[in-house]
Amino acid sequence: MKKIITPLALVISAFAVTSAHAAVKQDYFVGADLGLRLSGAMEAKSALGNNNTDLDNSAIYGIHGGVTLNDHHRLTLGYTHEELAFKDDSDSTGLDTVKAKYDYVFNLTNNFNLTAGANLGYEMAEDNSNLDGMVYGFQAGAEYNLNHWTFGGELGYTLHTAEDDSTFALLKTSLQNEATLMTNVTYHF
């Protein structure tokens, strides 16, 4: 439980500290995400060797909210859901992830921005496979601002730390690093 509380406490503390300083320009937002897993695999380690099985390129969807400080520093807390399924296999399980993200926003024009940042979170497999654990990674993207709305996309790379060794003593399974392509729509208050 400490693994979940620590990243969330840092994000909440950042929001509280920035709210206390009236001189900091704040822009609050909420939005929705839709994307696709571009690559990823499940690795099985045993005494006989390692076996990687590619995961299907499934859809990812989620919601997010946060604050942008002084037009350049964006703090986001988000939730995503994706399906874990092997290619050419009908069995799947859900994977829910909660992430705290930081992005630096490069303003190229009044309406067009480039973003780059890092994320830290916790993922939970729905099938009780003990693949719950910390994730971290980085992302880069572009976005277009139109009045109170922002439309954007980003490429992300996520590293997984969970390893399931509860099934057999001689077999350990883990999720391998994955690349994602995400699009988003965000409303600014």
Side-chain angles (χ1 to χ4, degrees):
M1 190 65 171
K2 184 179 178 184
K3 291 180 182 180
I4 296 173
I5 293 173
T6 302
L8 295 177
L10 291 174
V11 171
I12 292 169
S13 298
F15 284 115
V17 168
T18 57
S19 296
H21 300 291
V24 175
K25 182 182 174 191
Q26 301 168 358
D27 175 27
Y28 295 96
F29 58 86
V30 296
D33 306 300
L34 181 62
L36 180 69
R37 179 188 311 109
L38 299 176
S39 69
M42 182 75 75
E43 180 181 37
K45 297 178 188 176
S46 69
L48 302 175
N50 296 350
N51 182 25
N52 284 347
T53 306
D54 288 337
L55 292 171
D56 191 22
N57 297 340
S58 68
I60 304 168
Y61 54 89
I63 56 173
H64 65 270
V67 62
T68 303
L69 306 172
N70 289 335
D71 295 328
H72 295 291
H73 305 282
R74 182 167 51 212
L75 300 170
T76 307
L77 184 61
Y79 162 81
T80 58
H81 176 82
E82 62 185 293
E83 291 294 319
L84 296 178
F86 298 118
K87 291 187 176 183
D88 304 323
D89 191 1
S90 62
D91 291 338
S92 69
T93 186
L95 185 68
D96 297 316
T97 306
V98 176
K99 283 185 185 176
K101 294 173 37 175
Y102 168 80
D103 285 299
Y104 186 82
V105 180
F106 302 93
N107 303 107
L108 294 181
T109 67
N110 285 341
N111 294 345
F112 189 72
N113 303 323
L114 296 178
T115 62
N119 61 69
L120 175 67
Y122 192 80
E123 65 187 0
M124 299 146 287
E126 293 178 351
D127 67 353
N128 298 321
S129 63
N130 292 327
L131 285 175
D132 300 350
M134 297 296 293
V135 294
Y136 58 97
F138 54 89
Q139 66 277 344
E143 60 188 25
Y144 182 77
N145 301 314
L146 183 63
N147 296 327
H148 289 282
W149 293 93
T150 300
F151 305 92
E154 67 183 24
L155 287 170
Y157 191 74
T158 303
L159 294 94
H160 304 268
T161 62
E163 191 171 77
D164 181 9
D165 58 359
S166 64
T167 311
F168 299 103
L170 300 176
L171 179 66
K172 294 182 180 181
T173 58
S174 62
L175 288 171
Q176 293 302 296
N177 305 336
E178 69 179 344
T180 56
L181 174 63
M182 298 296 290
T183 60
N184 58 63
V185 175
T186 304
Y187 179 77
H188 300 263
F189 297 102

